[in-house]
Amino acid sequence: MNLLESHTHRLATILDLAPVVPVVVVHNLAQAVDLARALVAGGIPAIEVTLRTPAALDAVRAIAAEVEGAVVGVGTVIEPKQFDLALEAGAQFAVSPGSSPKLLAAAREHALPWLPGAATASECMALLEEGYRLLKFFPAEAAGGVNALKGFGGPLPQLGFCATGGISLDNAPKYLALPNIRAVGGSWLTPESALLAGDYARIEALAREAAGLKRG
């Protein structure tokens, strides 16, 4: 098994932990551990912390060190150096909205499993040629949603997807019913109103609801 095959196996294991991977934006570092504990308590252990805020890497570091059962990764990886920063912080996987030659080159020999993004058949085929079998379908709703994924399933049955972008509790079941969907990503599990109020019980309840969604 080569490195990319090992990474694919690891990513499959992570995506299989729960039907939803929460996409979390952490503005206040003091909230990171409590919100992660709430997600894990609700049955959602894989957590994607987006690298969109100054607190993101410190949040990953805190979750990795302090939240038992959490499998924390990073999202919005758009620069090669972010692979190293994420790994040093304790991330176990990385996610990008797309891919680029520089990211592909950096990921090829990196220890951190990477889920690159794709929105078209050509992008999917290019990543398949590079050896990737698991992709992020983004932005899911804007890129054709369920119908697009159904279309990919015929000519590209080798690929599995985590659909992210416009996913909610209402439309998640339609995605999860597809055979080429491994999980969905969404931000609805950690609404800003709950974070501002410190309402971690609500986050745990939303996580429990999401964990109960059926696949296949």
Side-chain angles (χ1 to χ4, degrees):
M1 182 182 295
N2 63 33
L3 182 61
L4 184 51
E5 289 171 341
S6 176
H7 284 178
T8 300
H9 177 75
R10 177 59 181 152
L11 284 170
T13 300
I14 291 169
L15 293 178
D16 286 348
L17 290 172
V20 180
V21 178
V23 179
V24 178
V25 181
V26 178
H27 292 282
N28 183 353
L29 177 59
Q31 296 176 323
V33 167
D34 286 335
L35 75 85
R37 283 176 176 158
L39 290 168
V40 172
I44 302 291
I47 302 167
E48 176 189 331
V49 177
T50 67
L51 298 181
R52 303 180 197 172
T53 69
L57 285 169
D58 285 334
V60 170
R61 192 171 289 108
I63 293 168
E66 300 181 41
V67 184
E68 184 177 356
V71 180
V72 63
V74 295
T76 322
V77 172
I78 57 174
E79 300 178 34
K81 66 180 181 181
Q82 291 174 318
F83 287 119
D84 290 333
L85 293 172
L87 186 65
E88 290 167 3
Q92 295 188 47
F93 64 97
V95 184
S96 293
S99 66
S100 71
K102 288 184 178 180
L103 282 177
L104 284 164
R108 192 168 289 121
E109 302 298 331
H110 206 277
L112 197 63
W114 180 47
L115 190 71
T120 68
S122 293
E123 291 169 350
C124 290
M125 289 169 62
L127 287 165
L128 184 61
E129 285 184 1
E130 293 285 339
Y132 289 89
R133 297 294 184 272
L134 292 175
L135 310 178
K136 172 178 177 172
F137 179 56
F138 176 85
E141 284 287 279
V146 168
N147 287 334
L149 287 162
K150 286 179 179 178
F152 293 157
L156 300 168
Q158 312 96 317
L159 294 177
F161 297 90
C162 177
T164 306
I167 310 295
S168 67
L169 183 64
D170 291 334
N171 63 12
K174 296 179 181 179
Y175 284 89
L176 291 168
L178 299 176
N180 57 351
I181 282 288
R182 299 299 292 255
V184 297
S187 59
W188 83 88
L189 279 70
T190 55
E192 186 175 358
S193 58
L195 291 174
L196 288 173
D199 189 353
Y200 301 109
R202 182 182 173 198
I203 291 173
E204 181 177 341
L206 290 169
R208 199 172 302 282
E209 190 175 33
L213 292 172
K214 304 300 181 184
R215 286 186 266 207

